[in-house]
Amino acid sequence: MCGIVGAIADRDVVPVLIEGLKRLEYRGYDSSGIAVLDGSAIRRVRRTGRVAEMESAAAAEGFSAMLGIGHTRWATHGGVTESNAHPHLSHGVALVHNGIIENHEEQRERLRALGYAFESQTDTEVIAHLIHHHLQAGIDLLEALQRAVKELTGAYALAVISQAEPQRMVVARMGCPLLVGLGEGENFVASDVSAIVSATRRVVFLEEGDTAELTRAGVRVFDAGDVPVQREERLSSVSLASLELGPYRHFMQKEIHEQPRALGDTIEAAIDAGGFPAELFGKDAQAVLAGVTGVQILACGTSYYAGLTARYWIEALANLPCSVEIASEYRYRAAYADPKHLIVTISQSGETLDTMEALKYAKSLGHRHTLSICNVPESAIPRASELVCYTRAGAEIGVASTKAFTTQLAALFQLAVVLGKLHGRVDAAQEADYLEQLRHLPGSVQHALNLEPQIVAWAERFAGKANALFLGRGLHYPIALEGALKLKEISYIHAEAYPAGELKHGPLALVDAEMPVVVIAPNDSLLEKVKSNMQEVRARGGELFVFADQDSNFSASEGVHVIRTPRHAGVLSPVVHTIPVQLLAYHTALARGTDVDKPRNLAKSVTVE
Ligand code: AGP
């Protein structure tokens, strides 16, 4: 969603701002803009569409400056127009904003009464005017920002410059991520480290309620009470290579192919430990996980499907009750809360607003024990959780989640084994067996990737279809859901997923010769049931595309296409079967010519409701 970058230096910062905004493009946006202090005047350029268009306009107008801020906007309040794009101005003050100001109507009325005129429909413009209003009291920009944010309710990350104070930039954070990048004689701000990683990897993550002042010489941080504080400097692990495409056509393709490495990194600690110590989830994990009597998983989208898979593992391996709920639903209902149940949030980005709010709500209901599975260190959700397990997928740029999902599955499987051990259901021999299965996982995933040429041939057939059905049973039903989500997300083909046994209770009515039906049919205890469900499809003229494994005892025939996934050890089979459905979605989208990495209407990090 929205992204922020800002810089103050002794060199032209316009290329830094533009590069930063390009690196933020993956988050999803519909307009962009920069404001710079050129001499003694603020200059601004904004465009709807791609950053490249805004970059051309800035170049045509000869933008060059040593202080500036930039923004990619994903529309919430007000349509996708140039006048709603950031930065917003108020009498020589320029500001960019991520988040949503809840009391913007009230502030707008107040500022109108004070004589301010509004040019946009955004909630953001009120902040620019509010800061300008406070500056009228003769205070400086930092103090004006500190006064203004105390009058705001909602979420914000802000970067502000003023033509009256050319030697500094001020920033604030509440509810949205913001970090400061430290350079030599230059400093930066960004909502995401990827925006500034080519300038510096030395970063300071601001905390809730913090404000900060950046000059060329240094950075001063203040807490919510405006008291100066030291925040720890860290060296970001995000590498430039992870943000570059390399030989791949799309980030999604790159990230699909990175999965053996990403899984290897995610399971490394367990392999090194020779088992599944509770400490994989934090140093206090043993006592917490041994004491819980159930698990409540909260997540959105693909992460929710990881949670659905985990339920099968947790109940089977640990014999603990496990519920999985979409975070945006949970947060608004009078949910049953047992303080002895562990709340597990799953989020690639660690900043999905619905998941964050569901976590807060769970705590408000009395839940004491919380665990976050997350791919982004220092993001909001793990910071708000008691226990954390970071997946080590590396930066995921494609909007469609791929390696984040399979690494979440690997982390959740480890959680299930740890719970199984601590609750007396997994003995040493079983633990060793699970470790062996885990050890082979990256290799099995690599074999599944080798199916790509066969899947390309299927994708060409899918490209002309308007609808698709995905079927799976048991552990593979969530993978069918994930396959359908991937396909609709990036190819815009309408796709639905059902547990195969549910077909005859409704969706069978949709099946005809035009309806491709993808079936995930490994050789597990439900295979014979799945075969019966496939007969139901064939009898109605539906065309079957079956991912069977080496032992499925299943062959192709008229209207039945089969691709054989590698033989894989039982319970981790969902991870392996994820690969072909990802590849099918990717190549179908490619054949349809969609914008694979930035599908329409979607954002990578969903930081609004
Ligand atoms: C996945 O392909 C989607 N882009 C989306 O469903 C995503 O998984 C969801 O928005 C949750 O995001 P999170 O994992 O960052 O919380």
Side-chain angles (χ1 to χ4, degrees):
M1 299 217 137
C2 302
I4 286 176
V5 62
I8 181 163
D10 271 329
R11 57 177 169 134
D12 182 11
V13 297
V14 172
V16 177
L17 300 180
I18 298 290
E19 185 190 339
L21 293 182
K22 285 186 173 170
R23 294 209 186 276
L24 292 172
E25 283 188 295
Y26 80 95
R27 296 169 60 89
Y29 71 106
D30 39 49
S31 56
S32 63
I34 59 172
V36 297
L37 194 62
D38 186 358
S40 59
I42 297 268
R43 296 180 71 193
R44 171 178 69 170
V45 59
R46 300 178 292 177
R47 288 290 183 275
T48 57
R50 292 287 182 234
V51 171
E53 290 163 37
M54 191 271 293
E55 177 186 16
S56 303
E61 292 180 36
F63 269 56
S64 168
M66 293 189 284
L67 171 61
I69 52 178
H71 192 261
T72 47
R73 173 176 188 253
W74 195 82
T76 54
H77 293 66
V80 183
T81 63
E82 209 165 289
S83 58
N84 285 333
H86 302 208
H88 288 281
L89 300 183
S90 181
H91 310 276
V93 172
L95 167 145
V96 290
H97 166 222
N98 286 357
I100 289 179
I101 302 304
E102 284 160 11
N103 62 340
H104 70 103
E105 297 284 9
E106 174 193 327
Q107 293 292 352
R108 188 186 300 260
E109 287 319 305
R110 175 186 162 209
L111 289 159
R112 272 208 178 105
L114 289 167
Y116 286 94
F118 285 80
E119 293 174 351
S120 76
Q121 303 153 307
T122 65
D123 53 335
T124 301
E125 196 181 355
V126 300
I127 318 172
H129 292 317
L130 199 54
I131 292 170
H132 178 263
H133 166 64
H134 286 299
L135 283 169
Q136 301 315 294
I139 57 177
D140 67 16
L141 187 61
L142 177 65
E143 201 178 340
L145 173 72
Q146 289 170 336
R147 285 193 194 176
V149 294
K150 290 185 181 57
E151 295 174 328
L152 302 175
T153 55
Y156 51 80
L158 298 167
V160 192
I161 58 174
S162 162
Q163 63 188 30
E165 299 183 43
Q167 302 303 331
R168 60 173 162 180
M169 176 192 319
V170 296
V171 304
R173 177 214 158 139
M174 176 66 84
C176 294
L178 195 67
L179 58 97
V180 170
L182 306 172
E184 294 298 325
E186 54 186 27
N187 290 301
F188 309 89
V189 67
S191 51
D192 179 327
V193 73
S194 61
I196 54 168
V197 78
S198 53
T200 184
R201 287 178 55 210
R202 292 170 53 212
V203 295
V204 171
F205 292 94
L206 297 183
E207 301 205 349
E208 292 293 68
D210 279 358
T211 53
E213 175 198 68
L214 286 71
T215 62
R216 289 173 186 80
V219 174
R220 292 193 301 154
V221 183
F222 303 84
D223 68 12
D226 304 334
V227 176
V229 280
Q230 288 292 331
R231 300 281 181 229
E232 191 189 344
E233 179 186 327
R234 294 159 193 262
L235 202 60
S236 169
S237 59
V238 173
S239 69
L240 262 185
S242 69
L243 307 173
E244 308 283 352
L245 258 183
Y248 295 98
R249 210 163 149 186
H250 295 98
F251 280 104
M252 181 179 180
Q253 184 191 25
K254 178 183 182 222
E255 288 155 6
I256 288 173
H257 283 272
E258 282 174 345
Q259 289 175 107
R261 194 274 308 148
L263 285 162
D265 287 352
T266 301
I267 66 175
E268 187 182 19
I271 302 293
D272 287 352
F276 298 82
E279 289 67 30
L280 293 172
F281 297 90
K283 66 177 169 46
D284 303 325
Q286 171 127 3
V288 173
L289 298 180
V292 298
T293 58
V295 178
Q296 170 71 64
I297 298 178
L298 303 169
C300 303
T302 285
S303 296
Y304 168 70
Y305 298 149
L308 287 182
T309 313
R311 181 176 60 183
Y312 288 89
W313 286 330
I314 289 169
E315 296 204 347
L317 272 60
N319 196 35
L320 291 175
C322 177
S323 312
V324 191
E325 189 159 350
I326 290 174
S328 57
E329 286 296 307
Y330 176 85
R331 61 180 284 204
Y332 287 118
R333 73 181 182 87
Y336 169 78
D338 181 336
K340 289 197 143 187
H341 283 192
L342 176 70
I343 294 289
V344 176
T345 53
I346 310 169
S347 174
Q348 182 282 133
S349 62
E351 55 180 273
T352 299
L353 186 92
D354 282 320
T355 308
M356 183 69 203
E357 291 302 319
L359 172 60
K360 287 185 193 161
Y361 180 57
K363 288 183 186 176
S364 78
L365 292 179
H367 282 287
R368 291 196 310 275
H369 299 306
T370 59
L371 185 155
S372 157
I373 307 275
C374 184
N375 194 41
V376 180
E378 292 303 320
S379 51
I381 295 171
R383 283 160 69 106
S385 304
E386 183 182 28
L387 303 177
V388 178
C389 174
Y390 286 114
T391 50
R392 293 177 56 199
E396 190 178 71
I397 308 291
V399 162
S401 194
T402 52
K403 61 179 180 172
F405 177 66
T406 48
T407 53
Q408 285 168 350
L409 292 179
L412 288 159
F413 177 72
Q414 294 178 70
L415 176 64
V417 182
V418 169
L419 287 169
K421 273 175 64 182
L422 294 173
H423 291 264
R425 307 286 297 200
V426 169
D427 63 23
Q430 285 164 319
E431 181 180 5
D433 187 36
Y434 290 137
L435 190 69
E436 209 42 33
Q437 293 187 34
L438 203 59
R439 194 193 302 277
H440 286 108
L441 186 62
S444 301
V445 165
Q446 185 57 58
H447 280 121
L449 286 167
N450 297 340
L451 299 171
E452 192 162 9
Q454 297 173 61
I455 294 171
V456 171
W458 279 16
E460 277 153 20
R461 308 174 72 121
F462 271 69
K465 302 288 185 187
N467 303 287
L469 270 180
F470 283 68
L471 303 178
R473 290 201 79 151
L475 266 173
H476 297 91
Y477 164 53
I479 307 309
L481 286 164
E482 173 62 2
L485 178 64
K486 287 286 93 86
L487 189 70
K488 66 185 136 193
E489 233 181 341
I490 58 167
S491 75
Y492 315 148
I493 293 173
H494 172 236
E496 300 281 346
Y498 283 91
E502 192 64 10
L503 199 58
K504 56 191 166 301
H505 298 291
L508 197 55
L510 295 170
V511 172
D512 62 14
E514 282 311 302
M515 175 68 84
V517 181
V518 178
V519 189
I520 300 165
N523 182 28
D524 63 14
S525 60
L526 290 166
L527 180 63
E528 290 310 315
K529 307 276 178 206
V530 173
K531 284 182 180 170
S532 309
N533 301 139
M534 292 191 314
Q535 292 309 322
E536 293 162 6
V537 171
R538 271 313 287 149
R540 273 90 192 163
E543 198 171 3
L544 287 161
F545 295 82
V546 187
F547 291 114
D549 66 19
Q550 299 298 333
D551 301 322
S552 291
N553 184 21
F554 199 86
S555 39
S557 56
E558 201 197 333
V560 184
H561 314 277
V562 180
I563 289 179
R564 290 194 189 283
T565 59
R567 176 176 296 135
H568 185 269
V571 281
L572 285 165
S573 166
V575 185
V576 179
H577 282 85
T578 300
I579 310 304
V581 296
Q582 293 172 342
L583 288 168
L584 181 63
Y586 173 71
H587 285 288
T588 304
L590 209 58
R592 285 167 71 94
T594 60
D595 191 348
V596 173
D597 284 335
K598 301 182 201 93
R600 67 187 181 201
N601 309 334
L602 298 180
K604 182 68 185 165
S605 296
V606 186
T607 52
V608 296
E609 239 190 299

